[in-house]
Amino acid sequence: MSTAVVDYSREEPVIAGTPTAGEIDAVVSAPLDRLPARTWWIALSVTLTMLAIGGACVGATLWYGLGVWGVNQPVSWGIDIVNFVFWVGIGHAGTLISAILFLLRQRWRNGIARFAEAMTIFAVMCAGIFPLLHTGRQWLPLYLTPYPNQHALWVNFTSPLLWDVFAVSTYFTVSAVFWYLGLVPDLATLRDRTIQPVKKVVYSVLSLGWRHSNRHWHHFERAYLILAGFATPLVLSVHTIVSFDFAVSVIPGWHTTIFPPYFVAGAVFSGFAMVQNCLIVVRQMFDLKHLITLDTLEKMNKVMILTGSMVGYAYGMEFFIAWYSGSQFEMFVFVNRALGPYAWAYWTMVTCNVVFPQLFWFKRFRRSIPLMFVIAVLVNVGMWFERFVIVVTSLSRDFLPSSWGHYVPSMYDIGIFIGSLGLFFTLILLFVRTLPVISLAEIKAVSPGAQPGHH
Amino acid sequence: MEKPLYSLTALFSTPDALMHAVEATVKAGYTKYDVHSPYPVHGMERAMRLKTSPLGYFALAFGLLGAVSAVGFMTWVTLIDYPLVIGGKPFWSWPAFVPIAFEITVLLASVLTVVAMFVIFFKFPNNSHPLHDTPYMKRVSSDGFGISIQREDPLFDEAGVRQFLASVEGTDIAPVYFEEDPADHGQKLFDLRFVGLLAGVAIVVAGTTYFSLNSLMYVQPFSWMMEQAKQKPQAPSLLFKDGIGMRPPVQGSVARGFLPYAFKGRPEDAGKMLANPLLPTAAVLDRGRSSYLTFCSPCHGNFGRGDSRLAGQFPNPPTLHSEKVRNWPDGSLYHVITEGQNVMPSYAAQITRDNRWAVVHYIRVLQRAHFAKESDLK
């Protein structure tokens, strides 16, 4: 076995080669200035079709009511809630990359942070659709907010469902502000590059008149640090609170204290898989291979193997605690998950989430783009099924065998999920053509020779 | 007219050259200058002798504001405005307030800090700064590094600054002029005309929306369950031949509490056969009193003495304290209330069966009170 000596005192360069700042500007803003390629239009037509399918199913839900969904007693939380948790989880990778890796001084994040943050925002938008539809009175979302009303009633501040409303809306707002904060200097760069008068006005308004002044950068960096500091506990709190929706109830299989860390690890896991999938396509499409390097993708695979193993540990620990608790219902729920009517979903989840990511222990697989793409897709499938297993198996067979049921999603359920995928990828496609997918200022700051030597 | 000068600018090719130039600028004593670079250059705040950004204190203040207002609001709601027992927990279940208090803290601290930085610190939005659209700005926003020394600096003299910038190896030394009046290049966010424009837009949009929704077309977005497929009382119906929605009850049906009276026109039998089904409890007497005062007292008087204000206008209503009435059995009193007697009409429609019996009890109370004995007072 050959042992290559690695010099850890020297930081690996984040980007390949030594592109000048002007070249970085040119390559990143190129997609913004030329007409989209044919493949982009094909992709957009596919995602818009998916969006239209979802729109039709949402329309049917609004018109006929929730009866068109597959939900009923005892499984009143169907794949709508599965999708909600899935999408919120996808969003978590963005904040992890932009905030937590920033605080940990992981400079390789600079190339992918912008894209991951955009993905966070789009994923939370997709997530928001489902609880709203699930309420069944989709014209009364105002009731979720504490506003003074003639009933003199307030919302129930002790309910996890209300915590969820606050957590998800705060998460969306703070992510959007964080994203916009990073965009302001880039928009100013675009403003000074563009020759089209309309774009010039739009970029001028959006960049607020940013002047790249170091008197401003000084505050800007502090604000960025503060926001990263706030976003870090925020992102941990959001999926913790989502897990409280389950953990605070008394349903066997939900009522466990492992849920918050287990959910957060799963969220980061699925989010990294989604970022991985999108970035592989984007760097291919827009010639960004030297800015989003294979080294960066490899580092993401390492995060995936870590979080995937944490999720696998949680699966095992759930079984142990169910047995250790001595509660007949808990024990039954977990035996039922592995061997009951939804065993196929359970084993899909285990295979995709625990088994396949283990391939990343091998450097050859970690650095193979086709393989990591396939594994990332499988992880997304597996993480969707994880939420399905949690939501559906616990509800369908709880305490009384006389009130057991079997849940099958209707075509409207599935259609709305397809629609949310369509919305997500449509927004991604629009994003990559309208805003710089890589933070210009951040990538310039970490390119070789960008910082002065020691004085 | 010559445009007023804003500053002299110079470009540098590398961050190291910029750093040297900035150190020289500070050494030379210039204070009104700025340094521009496409990304934050490490160590620049030290070279420029900038004080630590106070944004952290702003974030702390906004965060505390969020925490205090969230906890305060939830406390007010659950303790003062609308206390509700939820899940058998105390009203002030503070552990359950932690998630929302945390979220509001983060929300206010992050959003307001960014807003404060842009609006208060940077005086943004401001797209009319003299540096905008200069060749200098186009360079420093992409790959250039530059210093701009402003005319308002007390040490500024054009030739001297030019010479200084050249001496630190600055290239492309160029003057930047104000586009128009120097007083007119600041932040315009709170400009009266801009605020007025916003207010105008708000009024026009709100007015147009109101007019078009309420007058142009009547739109009822959600019917709030007011439109329901059900038969309302008195409304017609196409379902039946006669077009009447309300159906007569089936022959012989009896409404609840309205059994037919068995002793019609047989007062003697009623007196003999009927007994008061109610016990004279306080609740029954209260009901009797209430019905008596409503229906009986206008003629018989509040105390049954036959002395109401109607006395003299009709054949005088009789007292209920006569020998005859006192000796009647309960059934006879009930019969008179139910059927009426002489000019007194039937009260069966006004007073329910049970309440008639309660009135009978109350009349017994009035009679006993009227002829109270010494022993009753003990």
Side-chain angles (χ1 to χ4, degrees):
Chain A
M1 199 175 154
S2 68
T3 47
V5 179
V6 184
D7 179 10
Y8 287 106
S9 64
R10 194 178 52 84
E11 251 188 296
E12 292 284 318
V14 176
I15 58 178
T18 52
T20 64
E23 284 166 5
I24 291 175
D25 284 349
V27 69
V28 174
S29 60
L32 280 51
D33 295 336
R34 61 162 189 250
L35 278 178
R38 225 172 111 114
T39 46
W40 187 86
W41 288 113
I42 293 169
L44 187 71
S45 58
V46 170
T47 61
L48 283 179
T49 311
M50 290 161 77
L51 187 58
I53 292 171
C57 293
V58 169
T61 305
L62 294 178
W63 188 258
Y64 295 109
L66 290 191
V68 300
W69 288 6
V71 287
N72 209 330
Q73 295 303 339
V75 185
S76 48
W77 283 11
I79 68 167
D80 49 322
I81 300 300
V82 173
N83 294 335
F84 164 69
V85 182
F86 173 75
W87 280 119
V88 173
I90 294 286
H92 276 49
T95 321
L96 182 102
I97 290 169
S98 62
I100 299 182
L101 296 186
F102 176 79
L103 294 182
L104 296 176
R105 297 284 186 268
Q106 295 296 310
R107 299 193 313 159
W108 57 273
R109 72 172 266 291
N110 283 15
I112 56 175
R114 165 72 44 74
F115 189 87
E117 284 167 34
M119 216 190 67
T120 294
I121 293 166
F122 302 151
V124 177
M125 285 161 81
C126 291
I129 298 170
F130 291 98
L132 213 59
L133 290 175
H134 181 86
T135 60
R137 298 280 181 276
Q138 294 88 353
W139 50 95
L140 298 175
L142 186 63
Y143 283 11
L144 295 171
T145 61
Y147 71 104
N149 56 71
Q150 64 190 36
H151 317 296
L153 264 178
W154 297 100
V155 288
N156 178 6
F157 292 110
T158 61
S159 159
L161 299 181
L162 189 79
W163 303 345
D164 226 15
V165 172
F166 277 84
V168 174
S169 52
T170 300
Y171 185 45
F172 178 76
T173 315
V174 172
S175 300
V177 168
F178 199 21
W179 186 59
Y180 179 65
L181 181 68
L183 265 172
V184 166
D186 285 5
L187 288 165
T189 301
L190 293 175
R191 170 199 69 198
D192 290 332
R193 272 183 66 84
T194 189
I195 41 171
Q196 294 179 26
V198 177
K199 278 187 176 178
K200 170 108 186 163
V201 170
V202 172
Y203 290 142
S204 294
V205 169
L206 290 179
S207 67
L208 302 171
W210 178 263
R211 297 194 294 275
H212 298 280
S213 156
N214 270 277
R215 291 183 191 275
H216 290 174
W217 280 124
H218 172 57
H219 292 301
F220 180 92
E221 285 197 290
R222 177 52 61 107
Y224 204 86
L225 182 68
I226 289 169
L227 248 65
F230 280 122
T232 300
L234 176 66
V235 67
L236 299 181
S237 84
V238 171
H239 231 55
T240 298
I241 288 174
V242 170
S243 81
F244 283 167
D245 292 345
F246 302 93
V248 174
S249 77
V250 294
I251 304 289
W254 288 5
H255 188 67
T256 56
T257 49
I258 201 177
F259 261 27
Y262 164 32
F263 267 52
V264 171
V268 173
F269 184 44
S270 65
F272 263 75
M274 187 62 99
V275 177
Q276 187 81 292
N277 274 342
C278 297
L279 279 181
I280 288 172
V281 177
V282 166
R283 73 197 278 276
Q284 188 80 32
M285 207 154 134
F286 298 129
D287 296 331
L288 299 173
K289 285 179 198 152
H290 59 302
L291 298 182
I292 304 168
T293 59
L294 193 57
D295 289 338
T296 302
L297 297 179
E298 189 190 347
K299 289 193 175 84
M300 294 178 67
N301 289 336
K302 287 179 181 167
V303 176
M304 275 163 67
I305 193 170
L306 171 72
T307 48
S309 304
M310 284 160 79
V311 168
Y313 168 78
Y315 296 159
M317 192 45 72
E318 277 191 319
F319 271 81
F320 169 73
I321 292 291
W323 166 76
Y324 191 62
S325 71
S327 159
Q328 212 185 342
F329 298 113
E330 286 286 339
M331 284 190 255
F332 170 76
V333 157
F334 286 94
V335 171
N336 181 50
R337 277 187 188 173
L339 303 172
Y342 293 107
W344 58 273
Y346 182 80
W347 293 109
T348 308
M349 161 187 110
V350 170
T351 318
C352 293
N353 289 351
V354 186
V355 179
F356 282 116
Q358 301 305 320
L359 289 175
F360 285 148
W361 285 108
F362 302 101
K363 189 162 184 137
R364 197 151 50 88
F365 296 141
R366 248 187 351 251
R367 295 184 71 88
S368 157
I369 286 185
L371 194 78
M372 71 171 88
F373 188 83
V374 171
I375 290 179
V377 171
L378 288 175
V379 166
N380 274 316
V381 172
M383 283 308 295
W384 191 88
F385 274 106
E386 179 195 302
R387 280 62 175 255
F388 182 85
V389 165
I390 291 172
V391 172
V392 175
T393 59
S394 284
L395 280 177
S396 68
R397 294 191 164 184
D398 57 1
F399 301 100
L400 268 184
S402 60
S403 22
W404 284 358
H406 192 80
Y407 167 75
V408 180
S410 77
M411 71 174 211
Y412 296 95
D413 283 312
I414 296 164
I416 296 173
F417 178 53
I418 292 173
S420 71
L421 287 168
L423 175 66
F424 180 77
F425 289 113
T426 303
L427 290 170
I428 292 277
L429 285 172
L430 294 177
F431 163 68
V432 297
R433 297 227 60 100
T434 46
L435 292 168
V437 287
I438 293 180
S439 171
L440 297 171
E442 286 185 4
I443 204 80
K444 282 178 200 168
V446 295
S447 58
Q451 298 299 346
H454 294 286
H455 280 268
Chain B
M1 190 189 101
E2 203 184 324
K3 287 177 180 170
L5 183 70
Y6 169 72
S7 72
L8 273 176
T9 60
L11 286 171
F12 302 87
S13 52
T14 64
D16 281 301
L18 177 74
M19 198 60 103
H20 285 299
V22 171
E23 279 162 1
T25 310
V26 174
K27 216 176 208 173
Y30 294 110
T31 48
K32 303 282 184 190
Y33 68 97
D34 206 346
V35 182
H36 299 91
S37 57
Y39 52 87
V41 176
H42 289 179
M44 187 55 78
E45 64 277 7
R46 264 197 314 280
M48 290 171 75
R49 310 260 164 87
L50 295 179
K51 274 181 266 170
T52 311
S53 167
L55 272 174
Y57 297 106
F58 278 71
L60 178 69
F62 293 138
L64 284 176
L65 174 74
V68 169
S69 50
V71 172
F73 179 68
M74 288 187 278
T75 303
W76 175 75
V77 164
T78 51
L79 281 186
I80 297 165
D81 194 50
Y82 206 129
L84 267 180
V85 177
I86 296 163
K89 303 288 194 304
F91 289 127
W92 200 64
S93 303
W94 68 268
F97 297 165
V98 170
I100 289 179
F102 172 77
E103 300 299 335
I104 298 296
T105 306
V106 169
L107 181 70
L108 288 198
S110 13
V111 175
L112 291 184
T113 304
V114 170
V115 171
M117 178 184 78
F118 279 128
V119 177
I120 300 172
F121 281 53
F122 299 171
K123 306 268 185 283
F124 281 174
N126 174 10
N127 271 307
S128 55
H129 195 274
L131 280 175
H132 282 311
D133 287 324
T134 55
Y136 172 78
M137 180 52 63
K138 284 189 200 302
R139 284 296 304 281
V140 296
S141 83
S142 173
D143 59 351
F145 305 90
I147 294 181
S148 150
I149 298 179
Q150 293 153 28
R151 201 189 56 167
E152 56 185 10
D153 190 287
L155 298 178
F156 191 91
D157 90 276
E158 202 171 337
V161 171
R162 248 175 213 285
Q163 203 179 7
F164 166 74
L165 288 174
S167 74
V168 292
E169 286 162 16
T171 55
D172 301 345
I173 299 169
V176 171
Y177 296 101
F178 282 106
E179 214 34 58
E180 34 200 296
D181 184 11
D184 196 33
H185 76 279
Q187 181 188 35
K188 301 274 175 38
L189 193 61
F190 301 111
D191 186 287
L192 209 59
R193 278 171 302 175
F194 180 65
V195 174
L197 175 77
L198 285 189
V201 168
I203 289 166
V204 168
V205 169
T208 315
T209 312
Y210 184 85
F211 174 75
S212 49
L213 284 185
N214 283 289
S215 309
L216 217 55
M217 51 178 183
Y218 177 68
V219 179
Q220 195 182 20
F222 301 107
S223 63
W224 308 94
M225 294 191 189
M226 280 186 289
E227 308 284 332
Q228 295 187 11
K230 70 173 185 187
Q231 184 63 45
K232 287 182 181 164
Q234 318 290 347
S237 167
L238 293 175
L239 195 63
F240 302 105
K241 256 186 201 149
D242 58 4
I244 299 170
M246 291 169 78
R247 308 311 296 162
V250 177
Q251 274 285 308
S253 29
V254 175
R256 186 183 280 261
F258 286 90
L259 272 178
Y261 185 51
F263 298 98
K264 253 191 177 126
R266 295 190 288 149
E268 287 81 15
D269 290 351
K272 267 186 251 161
M273 316 283 284
L274 284 175
N276 198 330
L278 304 179
L279 287 173
T281 61
V284 167
L285 291 178
D286 264 354
R287 266 164 67 195
R289 179 169 178 269
S290 165
S291 292
Y292 179 88
L293 289 176
T294 308
F295 298 106
C296 314
S297 71
C299 298
H300 291 289
N302 285 352
F303 301 103
R305 291 185 192 128
D307 56 352
S308 77
R309 59 198 160 86
L310 287 179
Q313 302 179 34
F314 277 104
N316 273 354
T319 169
L320 298 176
H321 301 301
S322 63
E323 188 79 24
K324 184 181 86 173
V325 179
R326 274 192 293 149
N327 289 334
W328 268 357
D330 282 357
S332 299
L333 274 170
Y334 179 81
H335 180 84
V336 170
I337 303 172
T338 309
E339 290 256 281
Q341 177 181 299
N342 304 333
V343 285
M344 173 175 166
S346 157
Y347 278 84
Q350 288 94 321
I351 315 178
T352 62
R353 197 176 47 179
D354 278 3
N355 281 0
R356 269 174 266 154
W357 283 117
V359 167
V360 171
H361 271 314
Y362 186 65
I363 292 171
R364 294 300 184 213
V365 168
L366 289 177
Q367 288 170 345
R368 190 162 171 193
H370 193 76
F371 295 99
K373 295 187 205 108
E374 193 73 25
S375 61
D376 288 331
L377 296 171
K378 282 182 183 159

